């Protein structure tokens, strides 16, 4: 059976779809993952994916493209050529799968399933309804199971990626803690001042610190690292970043893609979690985690990209010492 899995949004969201992808792969001869540009790098890391198709949907992302009939026609032609027997459309609780399902129906996909609050008409063959309080990874697995795709025996359902490379040439040798100061939206980021404070306190406590970030975050990582930490800003691909995170004692990160990548390689996370989205749905999944941040702050559940509260108190009231204590607790638990 040829199967299609669709997850059109961000890097972290695609990683959270990984267990559901493996469930589909366990019952399929070929799995194609259709994702957006922001999720493509994560898609390449997932076990069970045979092919990645990248398409930017006009209903996803911070700055979606215009509706282009020619672009949609090209996608439909590619999907028809795939001759898919089934498609699993994965969305977050606030997104509708129905625009995607309409395109898949036009492309001739035989059986389509998704989690849908809205009445799907003839767009879905399997309409699942999300259970309350489910983590995004669990909700995706639930939807896959509703279509008959269950994980094989021995698969725990945790996040996973393909084995990453040895990155000791980047990090140097010996134990270290990773601090990832960036985030996909300003409302989710700890301030550079607080990050630099944490680097200093962690160093004083005897930890080597590695600071990570993308190519566009080099100024940020340089500021946070100072003369104390290893600055890997702009120096890692997603695959090498997985290797850096895998060998860390603990990863300190906001609610952003690298936190989920740390979970996928089994590393404990100190999660600096702004409550603009619910932690029960998007906290690091399946690894020891300490959640920091006021989850009852006025910005809770607003999905705000920029903090609507002066001073960003939900995160910036977290001190560097709070982070050091959390790191020590996770390391002690790991070694015990």
């Amino acid at each position: 059976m040829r199967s299609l899995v669709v997850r059109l949004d961000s890097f972290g969201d695609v990683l959270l779809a990984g267990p559901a992808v493996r469930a589909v792969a366990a019952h399929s001869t070929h799995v194609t993952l259709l994702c957006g540009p922001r999720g493509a790098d994560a898609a390449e890391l997932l076990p069970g994916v045979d092919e990645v198709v990248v398409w930017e949907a006009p209903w996803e992302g911070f700055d979606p493209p215009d509706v282009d009939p020619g672009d949609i026609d090209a996608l439909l032609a590619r999907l028809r050529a795939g001759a898919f027997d089934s498609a699993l459309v994965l969305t977050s609780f606030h997104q509708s799968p129905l625009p995607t399902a309409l395109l898949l129906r036009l492309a001739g996909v035989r059986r389509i399933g998704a989690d849908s609050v809205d009445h799907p008409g003839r767009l879905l063959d399997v309409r699942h309804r999300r259970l309350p309080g489910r983590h995004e990874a669990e909700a995706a697995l639930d939807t896959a199971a509703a279509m008959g795709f269950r994980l094989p025996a021995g698969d725990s359902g945790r996040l996973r990626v393909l084995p990453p490379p040895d990155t000791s040439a980047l990090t140097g040798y010996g134990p270290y803690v990773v601090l990832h100061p960036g985030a996909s939206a300003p409302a989710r980021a700890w301030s550079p001042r607080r990050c630099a404070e944490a680097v200093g306190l962690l160093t004083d406590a005897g930890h080597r610190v590695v600071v990570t970030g993308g190519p566009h975050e080099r100024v940020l990582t340089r500021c946070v690292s100072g003369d104390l930490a290893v600055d890997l800003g702009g120096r890692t691909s997603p695959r090498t970043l997985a290797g850096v995170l895998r060998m860390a004692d603990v990863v300190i990160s906001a609610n952003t893609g690298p936190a989920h990548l740390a979970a996928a390689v089994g590393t404990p996370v100190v999660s600096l979690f702004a409550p603009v989205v619910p932690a029960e749905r998007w906290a690091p999944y399946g690894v020891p985690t300490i959640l920091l941040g006021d989850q009852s702050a006025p910005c809770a559940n607003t999905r705000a990209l920029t903090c609507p509260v002066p001073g960003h108190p939900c995160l910036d009231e977290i001190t560097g010492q709070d982070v050091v204590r959390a790191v020590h607790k996770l390391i002690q638990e790991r070694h015990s």
Side-chain angles (χ1 to χ4, degrees):
M1 178 167 65
R2 293 179 60 82
S3 298
L4 177 71
V5 180
V6 183
R7 183 81 212 208
L8 292 172
D9 35 16
S10 71
F11 184 95
D13 295 312
V14 171
L15 288 179
L16 292 174
V21 169
R22 299 198 307 271
V24 173
H27 303 271
S28 305
T29 56
H30 184 278
V31 175
T32 295
L33 181 57
L34 173 63
C35 64
R38 294 184 300 137
D41 287 332
E44 298 286 356
L45 297 176
L46 293 182
V49 174
D50 299 298
E51 177 190 25
V52 176
V53 174
V54 181
W55 180 67
E56 190 169 14
W59 55 85
E60 290 291 347
F62 302 139
D63 185 23
D66 293 334
V67 175
D68 180 348
D71 179 53
I72 291 175
D73 287 344
L75 174 67
L76 291 177
R78 186 160 188 181
L79 293 175
R80 289 188 188 106
F84 296 109
D85 300 292
S86 67
L88 171 65
V89 182
L90 298 176
T91 54
S92 297
F93 75 100
H94 59 278
Q95 299 166 329
S96 172
L98 300 185
T100 302
L102 175 60
L103 295 183
L104 299 181
R105 193 62 85 199
L106 291 171
V109 178
R110 298 177 186 176
R111 186 168 180 262
I112 304 169
D115 180 43
S116 183
V117 173
D118 300 317
H119 176 60
R122 295 189 180 276
L123 298 182
L124 297 179
D125 300 293
V126 177
R127 178 194 184 186
H128 181 259
R129 305 212 184 187
R130 177 190 290 248
L131 297 172
R134 297 292 272 171
H135 192 280
E136 289 296 300
E138 295 168 341
L141 272 174
D142 291 345
T143 310
M147 290 193 69
F149 298 124
R150 297 185 181 276
L151 287 169
D155 190 324
S156 67
R158 290 175 58 175
L159 306 189
R160 277 177 26 205
V161 292
L162 297 171
D166 180 357
T167 53
S168 54
L170 285 171
T171 62
Y173 294 92
Y176 59 87
V177 170
V178 166
L179 173 63
H180 186 88
S184 56
R188 302 184 186 190
W190 206 29
S191 72
R193 172 182 64 86
R194 286 296 198 192
C195 291
E197 175 193 358
V199 166
L201 291 172
L202 286 164
T203 302
D204 290 344
H207 300 283
R208 275 200 322 126
V209 182
V210 173
V211 177
T212 57
H216 63 290
E217 294 173 325
R218 286 175 174 153
V219 172
L220 172 63
T221 61
R222 190 179 309 120
C223 169
V224 169
S225 299
D227 297 326
L228 300 175
V230 177
D231 180 7
L232 294 185
R235 296 175 59 196
T236 55
S237 67
R239 189 163 176 266
T240 54
L241 178 60
V244 170
L245 301 180
R246 179 174 64 92
M247 296 307 296
D249 288 332
V250 175
V251 172
I252 306 156
S253 174
N255 174 32
T256 194
H260 301 301
L261 187 56
V265 294
T267 302
V269 180
V270 175
S271 178
L272 305 165
F273 202 100
V276 290
V277 296
E280 68 178 5
R281 293 188 174 116
W282 274 286
Y285 184 70
V287 293
T289 299
I290 293 179
L291 203 71
L292 299 179
D294 180 4
Q295 300 304 298
S296 62
C299 63
N301 299 321
T302 62
R303 302 204 300 272
L305 301 181
T306 302
C307 182
V309 183
H312 202 15
C314 71
L315 287 187
D316 273 1
E317 289 183 2
I318 303 167
T319 69
Q321 196 58 57
D322 292 331
V323 167
V324 172
R325 282 193 289 268
V327 166
H328 286 171
K329 183 175 181 181
L330 286 174
I331 289 176
Q332 288 168 2
E333 289 175 356
R334 194 173 195 182
H335 291 165
S336 64

